[in-house]
Amino acid sequence: MSALPLIDRYGREISYIRLSVTDRCDFRCQYCMPMNMRFLPKRDILSLDELLQVARVFTTLGVKKVRITGGEPLVRKNIVWLCEQIAALDGVREVAITSNGSQLVKLAKELAAAGVRRVNISLDSLVPARFRELTRTGDLQQVLNGVDAALAAGFPGGVKLNTVMMRGFNEDELPTLAKFALDNGMDISFIEEMPLGDIGRWRGDTYYSATEAMPQLQQHFDLTASDYDSGGPARYWQVAGRQNRIGFITPHSHNFCSTCNRVRITATGELYPCLGQNDASDLKPALRGEDSSRETSDEALRQLIMQVMQIKPKGHDFDVYAPDAKVIRFMSSTGG
Ligand code: SAM
Ligand code: SF4
């Protein structure tokens, strides 16, 4: 079947899905989830075959890029198999992964061999005690070894770092993190904290914007706006004398919704047309229909997906200073 483009009410073409394969994680990052996070019952989580079916049906609708995320996607059993199957689907140009890096020593080589093109690794500090405080359970050295393993595995689209900027935790370390990335041949994106889920504290205290970070980085690097587009929300700056770039993901200070090309599927099969809004549609009935053949189930999914495009909102309206989070889902459940 030839791929049909998914176009929403605002004329945006959706060519990119972020597929969460688990809500579970071995870390408990301060900005992402509370320490006593309650995970979803296993029976509600899509099987690998169901995840593959969702990806396949999206590719028949023109999706070309699939990012595997979570929770921590690499704690899901047989994740390499899923990546390999998705990379082999007709129409898929790129499979990417977002990971906390903890399992990369074990899995980086296999993931590259399975056809994963890019890996984004989250790294918020290079100071061991601070890294532990931020992730609550993470071990910095294990993640740094994971970064080395990913670099050695030779992902064709490269390895990138992601850092959530947090006042009082790591805002003084942004130039050091940027230098670490550039010295090791990686791009780095600095992310503004988003008000997703109740983490038991007010986010206004820790929110640190790109507008504050930019002059701080300019003291160390000569930055020129770049038109490089990785297909995601980051806007990049070329660093004089370096091959790599510094990016910002700025849902607050510079909204990027007008060019949004993606939707997200949770590990339980909820299709969210926008990270920052609550509307979603459950794909499970179409996937798990009692007596439906594969063709019927594919067609039911396709119809549902096309309907959801019609409710994709114009944009998010994140307010990090609001007393309560309007979006009660954690980033780990929707998939970052
Ligand atoms: N566990 C993997 C990881 O940490 O890279 C993948 C999932 S994680 C939810 C995806 C990305 O979302 C990470 O880069 C993480 O730092 C970011 N993230 C999580 N919660 C966030 C929040 N409230 N605001 C901004 N970024 C957040
Ligand atoms: Fe886990 Fe990623 Fe959330 Fe950190 S940001 S708790 S690593 S899902």
Side-chain angles (χ1 to χ4, degrees):
M1 177 181 305
S2 66
L4 307 161
L6 286 174
I7 313 264
D8 76 358
R9 288 175 295 168
Y10 303 98
R12 295 171 297 194
E13 187 176 331
I14 308 308
S15 56
Y16 178 4
I17 58 171
R18 294 195 171 196
L19 190 57
S20 171
V21 297
T22 178
D23 68 325
R24 287 169 169 69
C25 188
D26 49 346
F27 291 3
R28 298 284 184 281
C29 300
Q30 297 264 359
Y31 48 75
C32 183
M33 57 173 80
M35 183 58 199
N36 59 351
M37 181 73 175
R38 291 177 67 173
F39 296 108
L40 298 164
K42 283 222 165 108
R43 64 175 176 279
D44 292 347
I45 304 291
L46 298 190
S47 69
L48 295 182
D49 284 331
E50 289 169 334
L51 289 163
L52 178 58
Q53 184 181 354
V54 170
R56 182 170 48 71
V57 169
F58 266 102
T59 63
T60 67
L61 292 163
V63 161
K64 299 177 182 66
K65 175 167 173 179
V66 180
R67 177 169 295 281
I68 308 290
T69 178
E72 174 48 40
L74 301 186
V75 301
R76 177 90 198 235
K77 242 190 178 163
N78 294 330
I79 187 66
V80 176
W81 177 86
L82 181 67
C83 292
E84 191 168 22
Q85 298 296 314
I86 295 179
L89 289 172
D90 272 352
V92 168
R93 288 206 196 128
E94 178 163 307
V95 175
I97 283 196
T98 304
S99 168
N100 66 20
S102 69
Q103 310 300 312
L104 279 169
V105 166
K106 199 168 66 196
L107 293 176
K109 247 194 193 155
E110 287 180 59
L111 289 166
V116 172
R117 267 189 65 78
R118 286 173 198 266
V119 177
N120 288 359
I121 304 174
S122 302
L123 182 65
D124 300 321
S125 175
L126 287 166
V127 179
R130 197 184 258 199
F131 183 86
R132 171 57 66 98
E133 189 190 359
L134 266 163
T135 58
R136 295 199 184 99
T137 58
D139 174 43
L140 177 64
Q141 195 52 53
Q142 188 182 352
V143 171
L144 294 179
N145 293 344
V147 172
D148 285 345
L151 289 168
F155 291 98
V159 180
K160 194 188 94 172
L161 297 184
N162 279 338
T163 299
V164 177
M165 303 179 284
M166 290 182 85
R167 191 186 306 283
F169 279 95
N170 67 356
E171 90 277 24
D172 57 337
E173 230 186 299
L174 307 185
T176 312
L177 283 156
K179 184 170 182 310
F180 172 79
L182 298 168
D183 286 350
N184 287 285
M186 295 179 281
D187 290 352
I188 184 166
S189 287
F190 292 110
I191 306 174
E192 291 178 344
E193 185 177 354
M194 295 175 233
L196 294 167
D198 179 3
I199 50 165
R201 62 167 178 80
W202 185 56
R203 292 184 189 263
D205 283 334
T206 49
Y207 174 66
Y208 192 72
S209 75
T211 315
E212 292 169 276
M214 191 62 186
Q216 185 192 357
L217 288 160
Q218 277 169 324
Q219 286 178 15
H220 300 264
F221 307 101
D222 183 357
L223 301 177
T224 317
S226 155
D227 54 11
Y228 171 73
D229 181 2
S230 65
R235 293 292 157 264
Y236 286 94
W237 298 79
Q238 191 60 53
V239 186
R242 303 289 199 140
Q243 298 292 325
N244 292 93
R245 291 158 286 245
I246 295 178
F248 286 101
I249 299 180
T250 55
H252 304 276
S253 56
H254 298 94
N255 184 306
F256 42 66
C257 300
S258 64
T259 55
C260 181
N261 59 353
R262 72 210 73 112
V263 293
R264 294 160 201 265
I265 301 104
T266 68
T268 57
E270 299 272 348
L271 170 56
Y272 278 92
C274 175
L275 174 66
Q277 302 287 0
N278 289 312
D279 295 318
S281 202
D282 188 1
L283 301 180
K284 264 221 273 339
L287 284 164
R288 295 186 178 174
E290 292 255 301
D291 54 5
S292 62
S293 65
R294 183 170 126 174
E295 285 70 27
T296 324
S297 165
D298 279 6
E299 189 49 32
L301 272 179
R302 210 172 280 124
Q303 291 303 326
L304 207 50
I305 292 167
M306 289 194 290
Q307 277 167 24
V308 172
M309 291 312 117
Q310 296 318 307
I311 60 160
K312 184 169 165 69
K314 193 166 184 188
H316 63 71
D317 45 11
F318 285 138
D319 178 1
V320 84
Y321 296 112
D324 300 303
K326 194 182 115 191
V327 176
I328 53 166
R329 301 180 317 276
F330 296 99
M331 182 74 135
S332 58
S333 76
T334 326

